Amino acid sequence: MRETFRAMLVLVVVLFFEAAELCSSWNTSFSFIEREREALLKFKLCFHDPSHMLSSWKGNDCCEWRGVGCDKNNKYVVSLQLRGSISDRLYSSFIDDQQPQLYLIDHVEEVVSSLLKLRYLEHLDLSNNNFSGNLIPPSFGLMKQLRYLNLSYAQFKGRIPSELGNLTRLHVLDLSHNYYGRLKVDDDIQWISRLSSLQQLDMSGVNLSHASSNLFQIASVNFLS
């Protein structure tokens, strides 16, 4: 009788600790997902959204929001597909309420700061939105989990930061057609060679006049390796 009681007591203790561990794991996962939701809401606040492109971004389940893709198992955000729509390739400066497009109203660094909280983000498409002639922030280079990055037709200008070379998992990088060709590379183009997983690179419309003469050699070696 006494042995049976001890066995039952041990079983109860084991079940208690397993339940506590499961509960702790669930709370940790829930907390992480909540932080991702808050990061997306901060990202949303960085933009003027006259066409209500992000109008679905409300409620507790961010995986149901437009343009947000989550892992089926753990619900972490793995993709943001927020491609806008610019009807005029000349980038007219007026705001067209009928065109799905985001207009930056905050510091572009705040955008990246929010995105960095999405630790499992692999696919990022911000093309065809209006980043108001800002520089591409070097902090994009901290998003080392990215496999796809599209910043085309987004009205960026200035020097392409060499920190993008830290994105060694990238398969696709599209920086094409930004701000009347005022997006440029300088003579330090070696960062492209560090993109060891790159399969597709589009720099159409980028000013390459200051690039080193071995630009195409660097790019071709990267794709052939």
Side-chain angles (χ1 to χ4, degrees), residues 32 35-40 42 77 110-121 143 145:
F32 186 85
R35 287 198 298 271
E36 290 199 323
R37 189 184 75 89
E38 292 176 356
L40 289 172
K42 289 182 179 179
V77 175
E110 290 299 318
V111 174
V112 182
S113 176
S114 299
L115 294 175
L116 284 171
K117 293 181 173 63
L118 307 177
R119 291 171 49 192
Y120 295 94
L121 186 66
M143 303 178 68
Q145 72 280 11

Side-chain angles (χ1 to χ4, degrees), residues 20-215:
E21 183 177 351
L22 181 63
C23 184
S24 176
S25 175
W26 184 87
N27 285 335
T28 300
S29 178
F30 177 80
S31 177
F32 186 85
I33 294 172
E34 178 62 19
R35 287 198 298 271
E36 290 199 323
R37 189 184 75 89
E38 292 176 356
L40 289 172
L41 291 176
K42 289 182 179 179
F43 171 89
K44 179 182 179 180
L45 291 175
C46 294
F47 296 94
H48 176 48
D49 182 19
S51 61
H52 308 292
M53 185 175 168
L54 304 180
S55 60
S56 67
W57 285 32
K58 53 189 176 183
N60 293 326
D61 189 358
C62 62
C63 296
E64 297 296 323
W65 297 354
R66 175 182 176 181
V68 179
C70 296
D71 183 273
K72 293 181 179 179
N73 295 321
N74 54 37
K75 294 292 186 178
Y76 297 159
V77 175
V78 294
S79 72
L80 284 181
Q81 300 191 56
L82 301 176
R83 178 188 295 266
S85 175
I86 299 178
S87 59
D88 184 359
R89 290 307 190 197
L90 294 178
Y91 304 116
S92 53
S93 59
F94 67 88
I95 294 178
D96 184 352
D97 289 359
Q98 303 305 314
Q99 294 295 329
Q101 188 182 15
L102 300 175
Y103 297 82
L104 183 70
I105 57 174
D106 203 343
H107 296 295
V108 67
E109 290 82 4
E110 290 299 318
V111 174
V112 182
S113 176
S114 299
L115 294 175
L116 284 171
K117 293 181 173 63
L118 307 177
R119 291 171 49 192
Y120 295 94
L121 186 66
E122 297 181 348
H123 183 110
L124 179 59
D125 188 347
L126 297 176
S127 62
N128 289 335
N129 291 299
N130 191 330
F131 282 84
S132 307
N134 274 276
L135 304 176
I136 296 176
S139 50
F140 264 114
L142 297 174
M143 303 178 68
K144 297 182 180 180
Q145 72 280 11
L146 283 180
R147 299 177 184 271
Y148 178 99
L149 177 60
N150 190 342
L151 300 177
S152 63
Y153 291 101
Q155 297 210 46
F156 284 109
K157 69 177 182 181
R159 185 182 71 88
I160 298 175
S162 60
E163 285 82 0
L164 292 185
N166 296 328
L167 305 179
T168 56
R169 295 185 180 183
L170 270 187
H171 293 172
V172 176
L173 176 60
D174 192 343
L175 302 174
S176 62
H177 301 291
N178 267 281
Y179 212 85
Y180 304 106
R182 292 171 66 184
L183 187 65
K184 61 184 180 180
V185 295
D186 56 22
D187 57 358
D188 180 16
I189 199 64
Q190 292 292 331
W191 60 268
I192 293 180
S193 65
R194 302 204 305 270
L195 301 175
S196 55
S197 301
L198 200 63
Q199 300 173 7
Q200 179 181 331
L201 172 65
D202 193 343
M203 298 178 72
S204 305
V206 174
N207 186 343
L208 303 176
S209 61
H210 298 288
S212 57
S213 58
N214 62 343
L215 167 62

